[in-house]
Structure formats: structure tokens, C-alpha cells
Amino acid sequence: MASANSRRAAVLIRNRARTNGAEARARRAAATAARRVQTGPRSLATHIIATGAPLDVVAGAAEALRTQARKAGIRGRAARIRRTLNGRARRVVTVYRYTAEQVAQIVANYKPRKAEYKAIRATLAA
């Protein structure tokens, strides 16, 4: 009986360690992104991560901001990267990097509906 309880306790500790590690990685990613967006142009996703937004909302918010950038005619600085697709082909892809001022202009036109996106907009606008 004691062995079953000790195994259960070990599983709980391991799960807590995994959860704490995931949260720590998210905090480190947000801190790193916050430093990077101050130094130069970065992707819209990096600007959003720097606000401390949950990582499951970043892709959707970045796509919404890309749409607003297109409507406003704001083009970031183009860069060519090699993107790996399913661990295989390293294809050359053109990506765009935006300065903090450009992001502020994009956010001025952005009117989100979801509560998470509204929080991101408020933080980016500040």
C-alpha cells in the first residue's frame, strides 16, 4: 500500500515539475521578446509575445495584426529566412519585421472583439 502512495506522490511531483517548467519557459520567452523588441525590428508575433500574452493566442493575434498592416499599407522590413517544413525541406521564405513605431500605427487601426485580443491591443498601444 505504501508503494502505491509513493508512486502516486512521485507522479504528482513530476506533473508539478512539468507544469512549473512550462510556465518558466513562457516567462523567459516573454522577457527575451521584450528585450528584443526594444533593440530593433521584430516579427509581429515577437511583439505580441513581449506583452506576456498566452502562447495559444499569439498566432491568431499576429494574423489579425498582419491584416491590419496590409490595410494600412505598412510594410515591415523584409528578411529572407530558411524555414524548415516538417523537419525536411529548408525553404527560403520572405518574412517582415516591424519596429515598435510601426506596431503602434497598426494597433491604432485594430479593433478586436475577443477579450484576449483586446488585452493584447491595450498593452501594445501603451
Side-chain angles (χ1 to χ4, degrees), residues 36-100:
R36 286 183 174 168
V37 297
Q38 294 171 353
T39 61
R42 298 291 172 191
S43 70
L44 289 174
T46 304
H47 283 278
I48 294 168
I49 291 170
T51 66
L55 296 180
D56 57 340
V57 213
V58 170
E63 191 59 40
L65 288 179
R66 268 186 222 104
T67 302
Q68 290 303 318
R70 231 176 283 123
K71 287 180 183 177
I74 299 171
R75 296 248 340 205
R77 189 179 75 192
R80 307 277 284 175
I81 63 169
R82 295 186 187 280
R83 172 126 329 135
T84 303
L85 183 65
N86 296 330
R88 293 179 148 187
R90 289 176 47 96
R91 299 204 171 129
V92 176
V93 178
T94 303
V95 294
Y96 296 94
R97 306 292 189 224
Y98 299 86
T99 62

Side-chain angles (χ1 to χ4, degrees), residues 13-30 53-56:
I13 291 171
R14 184 173 57 237
N15 289 343
R16 189 175 333 121
R18 285 181 183 155
T19 302
N20 290 344
E23 290 171 358
R25 276 191 298 280
R27 279 194 308 274
R28 274 195 309 272
L55 296 180
D56 57 340

